Amino acid sequence: MTDDQLEMRLLGAMLRLRMVEEAIAAHYPEQEMRCPVHLSIGQEAPSAAFSLAVQREDLAVSTHRGHAHYLAKGGALGPMIAEIYGKSTGCSKGRGGSMHLADKDAGFMGTSAIVGNSIPVGVGLGLALQIQGRAQASCVFIGDGATEEGVYYESANFAVVKNLPVVFLCENNRYSVYSPLSVRQPEGRSLTRVATSLGLTSVEVDGNDAIACYHAVDRALQQARGGGGPQFLEFHTFRHLEHCGPNDDDHLDYRQPGELQSWQQRDPIDLLQAKLLLTNHDLSSEIQPIRERISNEIETAFAEAAAAPFPDLEECMRDVYA
Amino acid sequence: MPDNTIARRELTFAQAINEATHQAMAADPTVICFGLGVTDPGAIFGTTRGLEEAFGPSRVFDMPTSENAMTGVAVGAAIAGLKPLMTHQRLDFFLLAMDQLVNSAAKWHYMFGCQFNVPITIRLIIGRGWGQGPTHSQNLQAWFTHIPGLKVVMPTTPADAKQLLLASIDDPNPVLFLEHRWLHNLTDDVPEQPTHGLIGKARVARQGDDITIVASGYLTLEAIRAADYLTGVGIKCDVIDLRTLSPLDWPAIFKSVHKTGRLMAVDSGALTGSIAGEIIARVASERFADLKVAPRRLAQPDVPEPTSFGLTRGFHIRSRSIAGSALEMMGETGDVLLGQLPDPVPHDVPGDWFKGPF
Ligand SMILES: Cc1ncc(C[n+]2csc(CCOP(=O)(O)OP(=O)(O)O)c2C)c(N)n1
Ligand SMILES: [Mg+2]
């Protein structure tokens, strides 16, 4: 893959994630997606990078903010949208909603609405890969808030003790709901340094620079797959919309004045586009068909989700045990 | 004759909690308040609004996403002389803290020969509807009642929310204060004066001789709605709002069952191992002679609560199912009459005020 190809693919991947989330935000007020949704608008670069570096046989888990991670791992769009609509065609048959996405065929093993909950599960996936002798990686997406849970330290410790093929991908967007890092962690704390001291091979990345993200993720995955032990990537990035829901909530003033705007000026899609414009010729005409293709895909997914039937109460009572 | 000199003062359930917290913190400088989001713009659905401004950041503070550690911190602070009030936006998040709750908070008094006591209050909000799903809507109150040393309260009315929160903070023991998200906007009279000593006392919400319906928290509202409907068809219910789940007010339950001879216990938790089951078991073994018909439990199915709008339609107990069960216990065939008690639409929100997302 040439640099140029890589960059175009990253741009396409970010656009897809952005447009899906924007479509969810646009449809949400119709009150047909009746579950909490946590959107990743502004945080697309790590997922886009991941989508290019990851292999289908790698495994992954994520959090409440998991749409982008699910899609980046190759999770099917239609079943995800249907899941958010609560339909029987949803990836979790309507039982989980936006916060509980899984696509086993794609190696996307689940997301959790409980902060920190999926971290040890991801480490367990790594244990299985190691014991079964599969040269693949288990990828654990987390937020900055999750590093405050004890289970993060316990899980990282075990991963280091066993030299497991686990990659922690931490999107540090500086907030947990409305709470800034300053009320949760000491000033000057570096999640990367903490991870290093736990024994994880750790790298800090500009999480809005998709190219940098790609190289970091690619290297970490290769290391983990090749027996290099557990890896930690900290992506500095920012969420543009409210913590939960489709709206802008900047007027609530829980963030520093101008903080959102300065991050929006470093929007990962804009950044990459600006870079491409320097070398590329004729970007807009190349992007147009990409956008159209994505729009069509999204429209189909929403139309199918809206048209699909709801599961019913009888269905609800089934499958408590395997 | 109504006493017109006492002004009616309507507050929401959430405002009542807020007022109780302000009063408790003003009255007792050892009360501290912390939890994820207590100082943020949402202020835990408004319940912690103004506390930091009134009492300062050393007594009112946000915390790291560290539920287990912070519960242990509360235990330590409590045995050293403070009265921590913690809040969790969902009961489900608090599950990370089971070790500190069960092995520390519930034990420190008994296990060390009464040298210490652990006056902590832990507010847990129970979610429902709008796709809260398997991990944002669990009603695990029965778990907590299973742990000796813990008290568990679950108010229904705004006035009780206020009084029970004050009583919980006053109590020298760890108290779990369970508040149902669907009650936050309920409005009613709330006395301004703080009162004390309510833990352990049930409330008779409706009086009648035919059947005893024991409920708690949000389900009390459904039970009352059912009872009011049943009055219209000639069936009179005693509705007992438990208010405290541990310790349970057995005298109130026994007294009512002695009068009615019919017992229905409704419970927002899963059926197996529920508090409803405990109530039926105890009445059956200790007051068997009072019972005219087999007692009934109405609880959630033993199934994780799903997310989908389709899957939750009919999932929860509503006044209709309570009334239907009551009619059957009275030997009536309920279906015809029940036409007048339709389930609310849409079924997954408590009212127009709730538009998601949580
Ligand atoms: C154990 C637990 N505590 C609290 C919550 C409430 N909660 C939901 S998302 C969230 C924010 C977590 O922040 P972070 O890990 O940084 O992820 P982000 O939302 O920023 O992506 C919190 C506190 C929860 N779901 N689970
Ligand atoms: Mg965050």
Side-chain angles (χ1 to χ4, degrees), chain A residues 123 126-127 130 152-166 168 195-201 227-231:
Chain A
V123 171
L127 179 67
Q130 186 186 63
Y152 164 62
Y153 298 89
E154 300 170 31
S155 306
N157 180 58
F158 181 73
V160 173
V161 167
K162 293 281 189 190
N163 202 44
L164 296 180
V166 176
F168 297 95
T196 303
S197 67
L198 289 169
L200 301 167
T201 304
Q231 314 284 312

Side-chain angles (χ1 to χ4, degrees), chain A residues 28 34 86 94 148-149 179, chain B residues 62 65-67 130 307-308 348:
Chain A
Y28 199 76
R34 300 174 84 86
E148 289 148 26
E149 297 288 8
S179 306
Chain B
D62 204 335
T65 323
S66 308
E67 290 80 4
W130 200 270
T307 301
S308 165
D348 66 338

Side-chain angles (χ1 to χ4, degrees), chain B residues 252-322:
Chain B
I253 297 169
F254 290 161
K255 188 174 156 207
S256 175
V257 172
H258 183 71
K259 176 174 67 170
T260 64
R262 297 181 186 85
L263 171 64
M264 182 195 319
V266 300
D267 196 322
S268 56
L271 183 74
T272 302
S274 61
I275 291 161
E278 177 61 23
I279 290 169
I280 302 296
R282 183 97 175 241
V283 169
S285 52
E286 296 183 21
R287 292 293 188 277
F288 192 60
D290 281 343
L291 292 172
K292 295 181 195 152
V293 297
R296 286 202 184 195
R297 289 176 300 175
L298 245 59
Q300 293 305 113
D302 290 323
V303 173
E305 181 163 331
T307 301
S308 165
F309 182 76
L311 292 170
T312 52
R313 198 186 277 133
F315 187 82
H316 296 96
I317 293 160
R318 305 227 66 147
S319 42
R320 182 185 176 78
S321 38
I322 297 171

Side-chain angles (χ1 to χ4, degrees), chain A residues 28 31 34-36 86 93-97 99-100 113-114 145 148-149 176 178-179 183-184 244 310-313 316-317 320, chain B residues 40-42 62 64-67 93 96 130-131 134-136 301 303 306-311 313-315 346 348 355 357:
Chain A
Y28 199 76
Q31 308 226 328
R34 300 174 84 86
C35 65
K93 298 187 188 170
R95 290 167 184 177
M99 297 193 287
H100 303 101
I114 300 299
E148 289 148 26
E149 297 288 8
S176 165
Y178 300 118
S179 306
V183 301
R184 302 181 284 120
C244 178
F310 277 121
D312 59 19
L313 193 60
C316 162
M317 301 299 162
V320 174
Chain B
D40 78 20
D62 204 335
T65 323
S66 308
E67 290 80 4
F93 307 160
L96 276 75
W130 200 270
T135 61
H136 273 53
V303 173
T307 301
S308 165
F309 182 76
L311 292 170
R313 198 186 277 133
F315 187 82
D348 66 338
K355 299 255 187 291

Side-chain angles (χ1 to χ4, degrees), chain B:
Chain B
M1 233 178 64
D3 182 352
N4 292 324
T5 59
I6 298 175
R8 288 172 61 86
R9 218 178 54 109
E10 299 236 312
L11 294 185
T12 66
F13 189 97
Q15 288 166 336
I17 287 174
N18 184 251
E19 180 170 274
T21 312
H22 273 276
Q23 289 181 347
M25 295 196 75
D28 183 348
T30 67
V31 177
I32 62 171
C33 172
F34 60 94
L36 271 183
V38 297
T39 58
D40 78 20
I44 320 285
F45 311 112
T47 58
T48 57
R49 182 105 47 224
L51 292 172
E52 188 188 18
E53 292 81 344
F55 304 105
S58 71
R59 290 178 66 197
V60 182
F61 51 91
D62 204 335
M63 68 174 212
T65 323
S66 308
E67 290 80 4
N68 193 34
M70 293 311 293
T71 305
V73 167
V75 172
I79 62 178
L82 297 182
K83 289 187 178 166
L85 167 63
M86 283 185 90
T87 299
H88 298 278
Q89 307 222 21
R90 284 290 177 276
L91 180 154
D92 317 66
F93 307 160
F94 179 60
L95 297 183
L96 276 75
M98 284 307 102
D99 169 50
Q100 289 299 331
L101 177 76
V102 177
N103 290 324
S104 300
K107 300 293 190 289
W108 228 263
H109 172 70
Y110 182 87
M111 186 167 73
F112 296 111
C114 313
Q115 297 182 73
F116 310 103
N117 64 296
V118 187
I120 63 180
T121 302
I122 303 174
R123 288 177 49 206
L124 302 175
I125 295 169
I126 295 174
R128 171 167 161 181
W130 200 270
Q132 297 300 299
T135 61
H136 273 53
S137 61
Q138 295 175 88
N139 284 257
L140 298 175
Q141 56 270 25
W143 282 23
F144 303 131
T145 64
H146 194 67
I147 311 300
L150 300 180
K151 293 189 179 180
V152 184
V153 303
M154 197 174 190
T156 304
T157 67
D160 281 347
K162 176 176 172 182
Q163 310 303 0
L164 278 167
L165 184 56
L166 284 166
S168 302
I169 295 169
D170 270 353
D171 200 281
N173 297 286
V175 182
L176 294 163
F177 182 93
L178 303 179
E179 54 193 79
H180 199 284
R181 178 76 183 103
W182 280 25
L183 293 173
H184 275 149
N185 259 37
L186 184 71
T187 332
D188 203 358
D189 270 5
V190 178
E192 191 154 7
Q193 276 303 106
T195 59
H196 302 275
L198 259 175
I199 291 185
K201 289 269 171 294
R203 165 181 82 107
V204 180
R206 287 290 182 277
Q207 286 202 353
D209 297 340
D210 293 322
I211 181 162
T212 300
I213 303 177
V214 180
S216 54
Y218 173 74
L219 276 187
T220 305
L221 297 188
E222 297 283 357
I224 288 172
R225 191 163 167 254
D228 291 347
Y229 164 79
L230 289 165
T231 307
V233 298
I235 296 171
K236 306 235 165 5
C237 307
D238 243 15
V239 176
I240 297 186
D241 175 8
L242 287 171
R243 301 200 288 197
T244 302
L245 302 180
S246 185
L248 270 177
D249 188 352
W250 292 112
I253 297 169
F254 290 161
K255 188 174 156 207
S256 175
V257 172
H258 183 71
K259 176 174 67 170
T260 64
R262 297 181 186 85
L263 171 64
M264 182 195 319
V266 300
D267 196 322
S268 56
L271 183 74
T272 302
S274 61
I275 291 161
E278 177 61 23
I279 290 169
I280 302 296
R282 183 97 175 241
V283 169
S285 52
E286 296 183 21
R287 292 293 188 277
F288 192 60
D290 281 343
L291 292 172
K292 295 181 195 152
V293 297
R296 286 202 184 195
R297 289 176 300 175
L298 245 59
Q300 293 305 113
D302 290 323
V303 173
E305 181 163 331
T307 301
S308 165
F309 182 76
L311 292 170
T312 52
R313 198 186 277 133
F315 187 82
H316 296 96
I317 293 160
R318 305 227 66 147
S319 42
R320 182 185 176 78
S321 38
I322 297 171
S325 260
L327 288 168
E328 284 170 19
M329 289 178 77
M330 296 301 293
E332 317 255 348
T333 48
D335 288 358
V336 190
L337 300 170
L338 278 174
Q340 294 163 41
L341 201 59
D343 284 348
V345 177
H347 69 272
D348 66 338
V349 288
D352 289 344
W353 61 273
F354 190 91
K355 299 255 187 291
F358 72 105

Side-chain angles (χ1 to χ4, degrees), chain A:
Chain A
M1 192 162 41
T2 66
D3 281 358
D4 210 37
Q5 284 169 331
L6 170 69
E7 288 162 10
M8 278 312 287
R9 288 182 62 193
L10 282 169
L11 185 60
M14 284 197 289
L15 278 174
R16 180 166 181 260
L17 300 174
R18 171 76 49 100
M19 288 166 70
V20 169
E21 297 286 60
E22 284 176 346
I24 293 169
H27 285 284
Y28 199 76
E30 293 162 6
Q31 308 226 328
E32 286 184 21
M33 287 177 267
R34 300 174 84 86
C35 65
V37 291
H38 302 77
L39 305 182
S40 285
I41 293 177
Q43 303 185 197
E44 293 89 350
S47 294
F50 178 76
S51 72
L52 300 194
V54 76
Q55 298 171 352
R56 200 158 175 92
E57 296 73 26
D58 293 324
L59 302 172
V61 290
S62 167
T63 68
H64 57 284
R65 198 176 308 286
H67 300 169
H69 308 142
Y70 167 100
L71 293 171
K73 185 65 185 75
L77 176 64
M80 178 180 104
I81 300 299
E83 187 60 32
I84 303 174
Y85 272 81
K87 298 302 180 72
S88 53
T89 49
C91 59
S92 308
K93 298 187 188 170
R95 290 167 184 177
S98 157
M99 297 193 287
H100 303 101
L101 303 173
D103 186 338
K104 192 177 175 192
D105 291 340
F108 192 78
M109 309 299 276
T111 62
S112 175
I114 300 299
V115 173
N117 175 269
S118 52
I119 298 173
V121 177
V123 171
L125 295 171
L127 179 67
L129 291 174
Q130 186 186 63
I131 288 176
Q132 293 161 355
R134 292 192 263 163
Q136 297 294 336
S138 167
C139 308
V140 182
F141 285 94
I142 56 175
D144 46 293
T147 67
E148 289 148 26
E149 297 288 8
V151 72
Y152 164 62
Y153 298 89
E154 300 170 31
S155 306
N157 180 58
F158 181 73
V160 173
V161 167
K162 293 281 189 190
N163 202 44
L164 296 180
V166 176
V167 180
F168 297 95
L169 299 103
C170 177
E171 290 176 16
N172 181 352
N173 63 9
R174 295 154 181 266
Y175 286 84
S176 165
V177 193
Y178 300 118
S179 306
L181 274 168
S182 60
V183 301
R184 302 181 284 120
Q185 300 193 18
E187 204 181 325
R189 158 71 51 80
S190 155
L191 298 179
T192 303
R193 283 206 303 276
V194 171
T196 303
S197 67
L198 289 169
L200 301 167
T201 304
S202 308
V203 178
E204 201 164 0
V205 192
D206 176 348
N208 282 15
D209 177 344
I211 300 166
C213 290
Y214 172 77
H215 292 300
V217 175
D218 189 44
R219 199 174 319 113
L221 284 169
Q222 291 192 33
Q223 288 271 323
R225 290 186 203 116
Q231 314 284 312
F232 179 90
L233 300 173
E234 178 183 12
F235 302 99
H236 294 285
T237 185
F238 208 72
R239 128 174 93 69
H240 291 182
L241 300 183
E242 60 190 341
H243 164 69
C244 178
N247 302 307
D248 172 9
D249 69 350
D250 206 40
H251 60 281
L252 293 177
D253 288 340
Y254 63 98
R255 311 196 265 207
Q256 298 296 315
E259 192 180 11
L260 171 64
Q261 292 69 26
S262 76
W263 281 94
Q264 280 172 330
Q265 277 160 20
R266 300 197 67 254
D267 180 291
I269 295 178
D270 293 349
L271 280 185
L272 186 56
Q273 273 185 2
K275 177 166 192 298
L276 282 167
L277 275 172
L278 293 178
T279 50
N280 187 338
H281 15 319
D282 191 23
L283 188 61
S284 42
S285 66
E286 281 183 44
I287 288 182
Q288 203 40 42
I290 300 178
R291 279 187 171 277
E292 263 165 41
R293 184 168 39 74
I294 299 169
S295 285
N296 290 340
E297 185 196 7
I298 292 173
E299 262 169 46
T300 307
F302 274 80
E304 285 177 3
F310 277 121
D312 59 19
L313 193 60
E314 197 181 315
E315 160 77 11
C316 162
M317 301 299 162
R318 282 204 287 268
D319 304 332
V320 174
Y321 296 106

